[in-house]
Coordinates of all heavy atoms in Angstrom, one line a residue:
Y161 N -7.0 18.4 -4.3 CA -5.8 19.0 -4.8 C -4.6 18.6 -4.0 O -3.5 18.4 -4.5 CB -6.0 20.6 -4.7 CG -6.9 21.1 -5.8 CD1 -7.4 22.4 -5.7 CD2 -7.2 20.4 -6.9 CE1 -8.2 23.0 -6.7 CE2 -8.1 20.9 -7.9 CZ -8.5 22.2 -7.8 OH -9.3 22.7 -8.7
Y162 N -4.8 18.5 -2.6 CA -3.7 18.3 -1.7 C -3.4 16.8 -1.5 O -2.6 16.4 -0.7 CB -3.9 18.9 -0.4 CG -3.9 20.4 -0.4 CD1 -4.9 21.2 0.2 CD2 -2.9 21.1 -1.1 CE1 -4.9 22.6 0.1 CE2 -2.9 22.5 -1.2 CZ -3.9 23.2 -0.6 OH -3.9 24.6 -0.6
H163 N -4.2 15.9 -2.1 CA -4.1 14.5 -1.9 C -4.2 14.1 -0.4 O -3.4 13.3 0.1 CB -2.8 13.9 -2.5 CG -2.8 14.0 -4.0 ND1 -3.2 12.9 -4.8 CD2 -2.4 14.9 -4.9 CE1 -3.0 13.2 -6.1 NE2 -2.5 14.4 -6.1
A164 N -5.1 14.7 0.3 CA -5.3 14.5 1.7 C -6.4 13.5 1.9 O -7.5 13.6 1.4 CB -5.6 15.8 2.4
S165 N -6.1 12.4 2.7 CA -7.1 11.4 3.1 C -7.7 11.9 4.4 O -7.1 11.8 5.4 CB -6.5 10.1 3.2 OG -7.4 9.1 3.6
L166 N -9.0 12.3 4.4 CA -9.6 12.9 5.5 C -10.1 11.8 6.5 O -10.5 10.7 6.0 CB -10.8 13.8 5.1 CG -10.3 15.0 4.2 CD1 -11.6 15.8 3.8 CD2 -9.3 15.9 4.9
P167 N -10.2 12.1 7.8 CA -10.6 11.1 8.7 C -12.1 10.7 8.6 O -12.4 9.5 8.8 CB -10.4 11.8 10.1 CG -9.4 12.9 9.8 CD -9.7 13.3 8.4
F168 N -12.9 11.6 8.1 CA -14.4 11.3 7.9 C -14.7 11.5 6.5 O -14.4 12.4 5.8 CB -15.2 12.3 8.8 CG -15.0 12.1 10.3 CD1 -14.2 13.0 11.0 CD2 -15.6 11.0 11.0 CE1 -13.9 12.8 12.3 CE2 -15.3 10.9 12.3 CZ -14.5 11.7 13.0
R169 N -15.5 10.5 6.0 CA -15.8 10.5 4.6 C -17.2 11.1 4.4 O -18.2 10.8 5.1 CB -15.9 9.0 4.1 CG -16.2 8.8 2.6 CD -16.2 7.4 2.3 NE -16.5 7.2 0.8 CZ -16.7 6.0 0.2 NH1 -16.5 4.9 1.0 NH2 -16.9 6.0 -1.0
I170 N -17.3 12.0 3.4 CA -18.5 12.7 3.0 C -19.1 12.0 1.8 O -18.4 11.8 0.8 CB -18.3 14.2 2.8 CG1 -17.7 14.8 4.0 CG2 -19.5 14.9 2.3 CD1 -17.3 16.3 3.8
V171 N -20.4 11.6 1.9 CA -21.0 10.9 0.8 C -22.3 11.7 0.5 O -22.9 12.4 1.3 CB -21.4 9.5 1.1 CG1 -20.1 8.7 1.3 CG2 -22.2 9.4 2.4
K172 N -22.8 11.6 -0.8 CA -24.0 12.2 -1.2 C -25.0 11.2 -1.7 O -24.7 10.4 -2.6 CB -23.7 13.3 -2.3 CG -24.9 14.1 -2.7 CD -24.5 15.2 -3.7 CE -25.7 16.0 -4.0 NZ -25.4 17.1 -5.0
R173 N -26.2 11.2 -1.1 CA -27.3 10.4 -1.6 C -28.4 11.2 -2.0 O -29.1 11.8 -1.2 CB -27.7 9.4 -0.5 CG -26.6 8.3 -0.2 CD -27.2 7.2 0.7 NE -26.2 6.2 0.9 CZ -25.3 6.2 1.9 NH1 -25.3 7.2 2.8 NH2 -24.4 5.2 2.0
G174 N -28.6 11.3 -3.3 CA -29.6 12.3 -3.8 C -29.2 13.7 -3.5 O -28.1 14.1 -3.9
A175 N -30.1 14.4 -2.8 CA -29.7 15.8 -2.4 C -29.2 15.9 -1.0 O -28.9 17.0 -0.5 CB -31.0 16.6 -2.6
Q176 N -29.0 14.8 -0.4 CA -28.6 14.8 1.0 C -27.1 14.5 1.2 O -26.6 13.5 0.6 CB -29.4 13.7 1.8 CG -29.2 13.8 3.3 CD -30.1 12.8 4.1 OE1 -30.6 11.9 3.5 NE2 -30.2 13.0 5.4
L177 N -26.5 15.3 2.0 CA -25.1 15.1 2.3 C -25.0 14.3 3.6 O -25.6 14.7 4.6 CB -24.3 16.4 2.4 CG -24.0 17.1 1.1 CD1 -23.4 18.5 1.3 CD2 -23.1 16.3 0.2
L178 N -24.1 13.3 3.7 CA -23.9 12.5 4.9 C -22.4 12.4 5.2 O -21.6 12.5 4.2 CB -24.5 11.1 4.8 CG -26.0 11.1 4.5 CD1 -26.4 9.6 4.1 CD2 -26.8 11.6 5.6
I179 N -22.0 12.1 6.4 CA -20.6 12.0 6.8 C -20.5 10.9 7.8 O -21.4 10.6 8.6 CB -20.1 13.3 7.4 CG1 -18.6 13.2 7.6 CG2 -20.8 13.7 8.7 CD1 -18.0 14.6 7.9
R180 N -19.4 10.1 7.7 CA -19.2 8.9 8.5 C -17.7 8.7 8.7 O -16.9 9.2 8.0 CB -19.8 7.7 7.9 CG -19.1 7.2 6.6 CD -19.7 6.0 6.0 NE -18.9 5.5 4.9 CZ -19.3 4.4 4.2 NH1 -20.4 3.8 4.5 NH2 -18.5 4.0 3.3
P181 N -17.4 7.9 9.7 CA -15.9 7.6 9.9 C -15.4 6.9 8.8 O -15.9 5.9 8.3 CB -16.0 6.7 11.2 CG -17.2 7.1 11.9 CD -18.2 7.4 10.8
H182 N -14.2 7.3 8.3 CA -13.6 6.8 7.1 C -12.9 5.4 7.5 O -12.7 4.6 6.6 CB -12.5 7.7 6.6 CG -12.2 7.5 5.1 ND1 -11.4 8.3 4.4 CD2 -12.7 6.6 4.3 CE1 -11.3 7.9 3.1 NE2 -12.1 6.9 3.0
W183 N -12.6 5.2 8.7 CA -11.9 3.9 9.1 C -12.8 2.8 9.3 O -12.4 1.7 9.6 CB -11.1 4.2 10.4 CG -11.9 4.6 11.6 CD1 -12.4 3.7 12.5 CD2 -12.2 5.9 12.0 NE1 -13.1 4.5 13.5 CE2 -12.9 5.8 13.2 CE3 -11.9 7.2 11.5 CZ2 -13.4 6.9 13.9 CZ3 -12.3 8.3 12.2 CH2 -13.1 8.2 13.3
R184 N -14.1 3.0 9.2 CA -15.1 1.9 9.4 C -15.8 1.7 8.0 O -16.0 2.6 7.3 CB -16.1 2.2 10.5 CG -15.5 2.4 11.8 CD -16.6 2.6 12.9 NE -17.2 1.3 13.2 CZ -16.8 0.5 14.2 NH1 -15.8 0.8 14.9 NH2 -17.4 -0.7 14.4
A185 N -16.1 0.5 7.7 CA -16.7 0.2 6.4 C -18.1 -0.4 6.6 O -19.1 0.3 6.3 CB -15.8 -0.8 5.7
A186 N -18.2 -1.7 7.0 CA -19.5 -2.4 6.9 C -20.5 -1.8 7.9 O -21.7 -1.6 7.5 CB -19.3 -3.9 7.2
D187 N -20.1 -1.6 9.2 CA -21.0 -1.2 10.2 C -20.9 0.3 10.5 O -21.3 0.8 11.6 CB -20.8 -2.0 11.5 CG -19.3 -1.7 12.0 OD1 -18.5 -1.2 11.2 OD2 -19.1 -2.1 13.2
A188 N -20.4 1.1 9.6 CA -20.3 2.5 9.8 C -21.6 3.2 9.8 O -22.4 3.1 8.8 CB -19.3 3.2 8.8
G189 N -22.0 4.0 10.9 CA -23.1 4.8 10.9 C -22.8 6.1 10.2 O -21.7 6.5 9.8
E190 N -23.9 6.9 9.9 CA -23.7 8.2 9.2 C -24.5 9.3 9.9 O -25.5 9.0 10.6 CB -24.3 8.0 7.8 CG -23.5 7.0 6.9 CD -24.2 6.8 5.6 OE1 -25.4 7.0 5.5 OE2 -23.5 6.4 4.6
A191 N -24.0 10.5 9.8 CA -24.6 11.7 10.4 C -24.9 12.6 9.2 O -24.2 12.7 8.3 CB -23.7 12.3 11.4
P192 N -26.0 13.4 9.3 CA -26.4 14.3 8.2 C -25.6 15.6 8.3 O -25.1 16.0 9.4 CB -27.9 14.5 8.5 CG -28.0 14.4 10.0 CD -27.0 13.3 10.4
L193 N -25.4 16.2 7.1 CA -24.8 17.5 7.0 C -25.9 18.5 6.5 O -25.6 19.4 5.8 CB -23.6 17.5 6.1 CG -22.4 16.8 6.6 CD1 -21.3 16.7 5.6 CD2 -21.8 17.6 7.9
S194 N -27.1 18.2 6.9 CA -28.2 19.1 6.5 C -29.1 19.4 7.8 O -29.4 18.5 8.5 CB -29.1 18.4 5.5 OG -30.2 19.2 5.2
A195 N -29.4 20.6 8.0 CA -30.2 21.0 9.1 C -31.7 20.9 8.8 O -32.5 20.8 9.8 CB -29.9 22.5 9.5
V196 N -32.1 20.8 7.6 CA -33.5 20.6 7.2 C -33.9 19.2 7.3 O -33.2 18.3 6.9 CB -33.7 21.1 5.7 CG1 -35.2 20.9 5.3 CG2 -33.3 22.6 5.6
D197 N -35.1 19.0 8.0 CA -35.6 17.6 8.2 C -34.6 16.7 8.9 O -34.5 15.5 8.5 CB -36.1 17.0 6.8 CG -37.1 17.8 6.2 OD1 -37.9 18.5 6.9 OD2 -37.2 17.9 4.9
T198 N -33.9 17.2 9.8 CA -32.9 16.5 10.5 C -32.9 16.8 12.0 O -33.2 18.0 12.4 CB -31.5 16.8 10.0 OG1 -31.4 16.5 8.6 CG2 -30.4 16.0 10.8
E199 N -32.8 15.8 12.9 CA -32.7 16.0 14.3 C -31.4 16.8 14.6 O -30.4 16.5 14.1 CB -32.8 14.7 15.1 CG -34.1 14.0 14.9 CD -34.2 12.7 15.7 OE1 -33.2 12.4 16.4 OE2 -35.2 12.1 15.7
L200 N -31.6 17.8 15.5 CA -30.4 18.6 15.9 C -29.2 17.9 16.4 O -28.1 18.2 15.9 CB -30.9 19.7 16.9 CG -29.8 20.7 17.3 CD1 -29.3 21.5 16.1 CD2 -30.4 21.7 18.4
P201 N -29.3 16.9 17.3 CA -28.1 16.2 17.8 C -27.3 15.5 16.7 O -26.1 15.6 16.7 CB -28.7 15.2 18.8 CG -30.0 15.8 19.2 CD -30.5 16.5 18.0
A202 N -28.0 14.9 15.7 CA -27.3 14.2 14.6 C -26.6 15.3 13.8 O -25.5 15.0 13.3 CB -28.3 13.4 13.8
F203 N -27.3 16.4 13.5 CA -26.7 17.4 12.7 C -25.4 18.0 13.4 O -24.4 18.3 12.7 CB -27.7 18.5 12.4 CG -27.1 19.7 11.6 CD1 -26.6 19.4 10.3 CD2 -27.1 21.0 12.1 CE1 -26.1 20.5 9.6 CE2 -26.6 22.0 11.3 CZ -26.1 21.8 10.1
I204 N -25.5 18.2 14.7 CA -24.3 18.7 15.4 C -23.1 17.8 15.3 O -22.0 18.2 15.1 CB -24.7 18.9 16.9 CG1 -25.6 20.1 17.0 CG2 -23.5 19.1 17.8 CD1 -26.1 20.4 18.5
V205 N -23.4 16.5 15.4 CA -22.3 15.5 15.3 C -21.7 15.5 13.9 O -20.5 15.5 13.7 CB -22.8 14.1 15.6 CG1 -21.7 13.0 15.3 CG2 -23.2 14.0 17.1
G206 N -22.6 15.7 12.9 CA -22.2 15.8 11.5 C -21.3 17.0 11.3 O -20.3 17.0 10.6
L207 N -21.7 18.1 11.9 CA -20.9 19.4 11.8 C -19.6 19.2 12.5 O -18.5 19.6 11.9 CB -21.7 20.5 12.5 CG -22.8 21.2 11.7 CD1 -23.4 22.3 12.6 CD2 -22.2 21.8 10.4
A208 N -19.6 18.5 13.6 CA -18.3 18.3 14.3 C -17.3 17.5 13.5 O -16.1 17.8 13.4 CB -18.6 17.6 15.6
M209 N -17.8 16.4 12.8 CA -17.0 15.6 11.9 C -16.5 16.5 10.7 O -15.3 16.3 10.3 CB -17.7 14.4 11.4 CG -17.9 13.4 12.5 SD -18.5 11.7 11.9 CE -20.2 12.1 11.7
L210 N -17.3 17.3 10.2 CA -16.9 18.2 9.1 C -15.8 19.2 9.6 O -14.8 19.4 8.9 CB -18.1 19.0 8.6 CG -17.8 20.1 7.5 CD1 -17.2 19.5 6.3 CD2 -19.0 20.9 7.2
F211 N -16.0 19.8 10.8 CA -15.0 20.7 11.3 C -13.7 20.0 11.6 O -12.6 20.5 11.4 CB -15.5 21.3 12.6 CG -16.7 22.2 12.4 CD1 -17.6 22.4 13.4 CD2 -17.0 22.8 11.2 CE1 -18.7 23.2 13.2 CE2 -18.1 23.7 11.0 CZ -19.0 23.8 12.0
Y212 N -13.8 18.7 12.0 CA -12.6 17.9 12.3 C -11.8 17.7 11.0 O -10.6 17.7 11.0 CB -13.0 16.6 12.9 CG -11.9 15.8 13.5 CD1 -11.5 15.9 14.8 CD2 -11.2 14.8 12.7 CE1 -10.4 15.2 15.3 CE2 -10.2 14.1 13.2 CZ -9.8 14.3 14.5 OH -8.7 13.5 15.0
N213 N -12.5 17.4 9.9 CA -11.9 17.2 8.6 C -11.1 18.5 8.2 O -10.0 18.4 7.7 CB -12.9 16.8 7.5 CG -13.2 15.4 7.5 OD1 -12.6 14.6 8.2 ND2 -14.1 15.0 6.6
I214 N -11.7 19.6 8.4 CA -11.1 20.9 8.0 C -9.9 21.1 8.9 O -8.8 21.5 8.4 CB -12.1 22.0 8.1 CG1 -13.3 21.8 7.1 CG2 -11.4 23.4 7.8 CD1 -14.4 22.9 7.2
A215 N -10.0 20.9 10.2 CA -8.8 21.1 11.0 C -7.7 20.1 10.7 O -6.5 20.5 10.7 CB -9.3 20.8 12.5
Y216 N -8.1 18.9 10.3 CA -7.0 17.9 9.9 C -6.4 18.4 8.6 O -5.1 18.2 8.4 CB -7.6 16.5 9.7 CG -6.6 15.5 9.3 CD1 -5.8 14.9 10.2 CD2 -6.5 15.1 8.0 CE1 -4.9 14.0 9.9 CE2 -5.6 14.1 7.6 CZ -4.8 13.6 8.5 OH -3.8 12.6 8.2
L217 N -7.1 18.9 7.6 CA -6.5 19.5 6.4 C -5.6 20.6 6.7 O -4.5 20.7 6.1 CB -7.6 19.9 5.4 CG -7.2 20.5 4.1 CD1 -6.5 19.4 3.3 CD2 -8.3 21.1 3.3
C218 N -5.9 21.5 7.7 CA -5.0 22.5 8.1 C -3.7 21.9 8.7 O -2.6 22.4 8.4 CB -5.7 23.4 9.1 SG -7.0 24.5 8.4
H219 N -3.9 20.9 9.5 CA -2.7 20.2 10.0 C -1.8 19.7 8.9 O -0.6 19.8 9.0 CB -3.2 19.1 10.9 CG -2.1 18.1 11.4 ND1 -1.2 18.5 12.3 CD2 -1.8 16.9 10.9 CE1 -0.3 17.5 12.4 NE2 -0.7 16.5 11.6
C220 N -2.4 19.1 7.9 CA -1.6 18.5 6.8 C -0.9 19.7 6.1 O 0.2 19.4 5.5 CB -2.5 17.8 5.8 SG -3.2 16.2 6.4
Q221 N -1.4 20.9 6.1 CA -0.8 22.0 5.4 C 0.1 22.8 6.4 O 0.6 23.9 6.0 CB -1.9 22.9 4.9 CG -2.6 22.3 3.7 CD -1.7 21.9 2.5 OE1 -1.4 20.8 2.3 NE2 -1.2 22.9 1.8

Side-chain angles (χ1 to χ4, degrees):
Y161 287 166
Y162 293 136
H163 291 270
S165 180
L166 301 177
F168 296 100
R169 182 180 181 184
I170 300 173
V171 295
K172 185 175 183 180
R173 291 193 177 89
Q176 189 176 16
L177 287 174
L178 302 170
I179 189 170
R180 68 179 187 182
H182 205 175
W183 61 88
R184 304 185 70 94
D187 59 345
E190 296 174 335
L193 286 175
S194 173
V196 177
D197 299 328
T198 300
E199 294 183 358
L200 180 59
F203 179 58
I204 288 177
V205 173
L207 280 178
M209 289 191 282
L210 174 63
F211 296 153
Y212 191 90
N213 274 356
I214 296 175
Y216 181 78
L217 181 65
C218 288
H219 167 75
C220 292
Q221 291 302 106

